[in-house]
Amino acid sequence: MDIEELTKKVSGKLLQEEAKKRGIKTSCVKKIDIARQLPREVLEQLASKAK
């Protein structure tokens, strides 16, 4: 799966929580931009929980 497909499965709130844990800026940023900055493993883990 690519990043766009994984991002569609995960809620924005979960992405923001993970980004804040890693010190990634979350204000005025699109959901896909946050997902691109997160490690792929984290994004895959969040997508598997969202199913």
Side-chain angles (χ1 to χ4, degrees), residues 15-20 24-30 34:
L15 284 175
Q16 286 183 346
E17 290 173 1
E18 287 297 320
K20 286 181 181 180
I24 299 170
K25 180 183 169 188
T26 58
S27 62
C28 300
V29 201
K30 294 181 182 178
I34 295 173

Side-chain angles (χ1 to χ4, degrees), residues 19-42:
K20 286 181 181 180
K21 289 180 187 176
R22 289 164 173 74
I24 299 170
K25 180 183 169 188
T26 58
S27 62
C28 300
V29 201
K30 294 181 182 178
K31 188 172 150 178
I32 188 70
D33 295 330
I34 295 173
R36 286 182 180 145
Q37 294 179 40
L38 287 171
R40 177 130 182 132
E41 298 83 28
V42 173

